[in-house]
Amino acid sequence: MPNIMELLSSPGLDGVRPLVGPLDAVEVTGVRLEPRPDRLAAMPAGTVAVLLAPVPGHLLDVAVRDAAAAGAAALVLTGVTEAPHGLPAEVTATARALAERGRVAVLYADGDLAGLVVAVERAVAGSAADALARVAAAAREVSAVAGAPDRVAAAAARALGVPVELRAAGPGEEGAAAAGPDGEIRLAAPARPGHAGSAVRSVLALAALAAAGGGHGDVPVRSRGRLLAELLVAPQDQAARLAARGRALALPVDGWHIALRVEAGGLDATNRPKALDAVMSQALTLLRTWDGPAAHPTAPASPPTDTVQWNAALVDDALVLLSTWPADPGTDGRRATLTRARRVVDRLAGLRPEAGLRCGVGSPHRGPLGIRTSAREARAAVPRDAGPTVAAHDAVGLDRMLLEWYASDTAREAVAELLSPVLALGPQRAEPLLRTLQGYLDHNNSPARAAQALHLHRNAVGARIRKIVQLTGADLNEPDVRLALQLACRAGLSTPAGEPSAPPDLRP
């Protein structure tokens, strides 16, 4: 027989919350709906008593005492009002003391009480229905965290009500294994008799597949994502080796590529990776639905040769979505990709408005190095100010020319020397000054227009510009000086993170 702690892991009991009293003191033998708290003293030992009506605090003390005297496993309160400290207002200090001393758990439940009773009876009986319910719950939970072994093991443990660990099974344990992209994944859990044992074995098999990457072709997809991330950040001399690995994993490195870069500027560094990981799955589902075989009802089972392929990777706190075409997509392909980007960002922004999603779209480039080039362009195109949330790399190639110019050691040294007094302040202080300077110069030395574009007060713009002039000694009325500073700000603030020779504090 399960105790209350084990019982609470059962499907259908998600709405039950422990309040006070021990959860592992008494084994549960049954459940009972009780309209009258004065009859609690007569119920069988091990019963979970569900009170159908709220009980005032002074009567709850008596109810807990009677339940403890009868040897009840738990007393479930319903329809109570919560106090600021998180416990129902009716749970007094006396009731808490009686619950601890009498070894009876006090719980709170709302919602479908009939469903609660059925779930408890099913769990106590250890029936085939309980086993099936646990397997169904596990299938939902582990699939949602596929590819994350620790989270998959935790989800399986919640569904089964027993520990699930990432290791090989020992004597007296059940185990399962599956091949993942980084080696074999093994899971172990305590063996259980009867139908409960069947549930453990079934859930472990599902969980092992999910931990390894999800099954049903998801392992290669996740492996391609990891390889794409490597290809985007690795030194250029490693591109050929990574491209060969990509071909082996069916990553279409030799096609024509257009990269999308999605950033979550509304989130801090702690919450950004988790949110972007969820956004990646949602974005790929949308894009593959629009561009894959599902978008062509009359197409054969395999994707047609003109179907766009989508892959994704998380790189330096951003999501890179890569569309690959079998031939040069040209102007029409660029336009279609930009439309896709706007649609997907609009859809995701509606689902996650707090993320502050913004997206840059690169130009088409061919081959493994083309992936990196388009990704750099997408990074430079991500909108930094108010206005559209999606922007494409400029058609005239100004950003590309700046990137190519800034790739030279001479240009980098000139920028670093020109801006060194500002960079010496450190990245947190230097970055807003440089962005203000860029906005000021872009708007022909107009504090008012720069303030409007940067969402700053005009006085703030003026103060920052005076600070820059004081630090650098630059004469912003001199055309040559203005041009040099404008190029330095644009090139420096557009430089992709991870470039080996970039100045350390000149990144967005």
Side-chain angles (χ1 to χ4, degrees):
M1 296 292 179
N3 57 35
I4 294 296
M5 183 177 294
E6 296 167 336
L7 188 74
L8 291 178
S9 70
S10 301
L13 297 179
D14 300 340
V16 180
R17 183 158 60 93
L19 298 177
V20 296
L23 300 179
D24 56 356
V26 178
E27 289 187 342
V28 179
T29 60
V31 61
R32 180 172 173 177
L33 289 171
E34 184 53 72
R36 294 177 52 185
D38 59 338
R39 299 194 302 196
L40 292 172
M43 64 183 174
T47 299
V48 173
V50 182
L51 298 177
L52 293 180
V55 180
H58 66 286
L59 293 180
L60 181 59
D61 298 348
V62 178
V64 173
R65 183 189 62 200
D66 290 348
L75 192 61
V76 183
L77 309 183
T78 60
V80 297
T81 304
E82 290 197 3
H85 49 64
L87 294 176
E90 290 82 353
V91 178
T92 64
T94 303
R96 292 198 293 271
L98 288 169
E100 293 292 341
R101 188 164 59 247
R103 294 160 51 84
V104 59
V106 180
L107 315 174
Y108 172 66
D110 55 11
D112 182 9
L113 297 184
L116 183 151
V117 171
V118 170
V120 173
E121 288 182 335
R122 187 176 60 209
V124 171
S127 63
D130 178 65
L132 286 173
R134 290 182 182 274
V135 172
R140 288 192 301 271
E141 290 202 33
V142 302
S143 62
V145 292
D150 290 338
R151 296 169 66 188
V152 167
R158 285 194 300 272
L160 291 171
V162 298
V164 175
E165 299 179 8
L166 283 165
R167 57 176 176 80
E173 293 181 321
E174 299 287 355
D182 301 316
E184 191 173 53
I185 300 290
R186 294 187 177 92
L187 292 172
R192 300 286 294 274
H195 297 301
S198 299
V200 170
R201 289 188 290 274
S202 298
V203 169
L204 285 182
L206 285 172
L209 280 174
H216 304 291
D218 197 44
V219 170
V221 170
R222 288 184 174 270
S223 299
R224 289 197 293 270
R226 292 189 180 97
L227 181 63
L228 176 58
E230 287 186 56
L231 188 58
L232 289 170
V233 301
Q236 185 169 322
D237 58 4
Q238 297 182 21
R241 176 180 60 82
L242 292 171
R245 286 177 54 194
R247 295 182 189 99
L249 290 171
L251 181 68
V253 294
D254 298 310
W256 284 80
H257 313 286
I258 301 179
L260 282 61
R261 180 185 176 94
V262 180
E263 298 182 0
L267 300 176
D268 58 32
T270 303
N271 296 318
R272 199 174 299 141
K274 181 178 179 181
L276 286 175
D277 188 48
V279 165
M280 176 168 64
S281 176
Q282 294 166 329
L284 281 176
T285 298
L286 290 171
L287 292 167
R288 287 170 176 167
T289 299
W290 294 334
D291 287 327
H296 307 273
T298 60
S302 58
T305 57
D306 59 347
T307 297
V308 179
Q309 296 187 50
W310 287 95
N311 288 281
L314 294 174
V315 181
D316 58 273
D317 280 348
L319 167 62
V320 175
L321 298 163
L322 187 70
S323 63
T324 302
W325 306 66
D328 186 353
T331 303
D332 291 342
R334 290 188 61 183
R335 188 180 299 113
T337 304
L338 183 58
T339 300
R340 289 286 189 263
R342 288 172 177 150
R343 285 183 63 189
V344 77
V345 170
D346 285 347
R347 183 78 64 86
L348 295 174
L351 297 173
R352 297 176 176 272
E354 76 286 354
L357 298 177
R358 289 180 172 270
C359 175
V361 181
S363 302
H365 294 276
R366 188 177 185 178
L369 295 180
I371 295 175
R372 296 158 64 96
T373 302
S374 189
R376 284 198 299 269
E377 294 176 348
R379 188 182 193 279
V382 175
R384 304 296 177 186
D385 302 319
T389 55
V390 178
H393 185 258
D394 66 317
V396 298
L398 176 60
D399 288 342
R400 186 185 308 174
M401 286 189 291
L402 282 171
L403 286 171
E404 291 173 355
W405 169 73
Y406 197 53
S408 70
D409 292 339
T410 303
R412 291 177 183 273
E413 291 171 3
V415 169
E417 182 178 353
L418 191 61
L419 299 178
S420 59
V422 179
L423 298 177
L425 298 175
Q428 291 186 342
R429 297 176 62 191
E431 195 269 346
L433 290 177
L434 293 177
R435 291 213 177 277
T436 303
L437 176 60
Q438 179 180 332
Y440 179 76
L441 295 172
D442 285 350
H443 291 87
N444 296 319
N445 290 20
S446 170
R449 292 171 60 192
Q452 183 178 9
L454 296 169
H455 298 283
L456 294 172
H457 193 279
R458 177 174 176 170
N459 291 344
V461 172
R464 290 182 181 181
I465 294 301
R466 287 192 295 274
K467 179 71 171 177
I468 292 169
V469 170
Q470 179 186 359
L471 289 169
T472 62
D475 182 0
L476 298 185
N477 294 316
E478 175 61 41
D480 290 344
V481 174
R482 288 203 309 270
L483 177 60
L485 287 171
Q486 193 170 20
L487 288 173
C489 288
R490 279 185 171 273
L493 290 172
S494 299
T495 302
E499 289 288 336
S501 56
D505 295 325
L506 199 58
R507 299 173 184 168

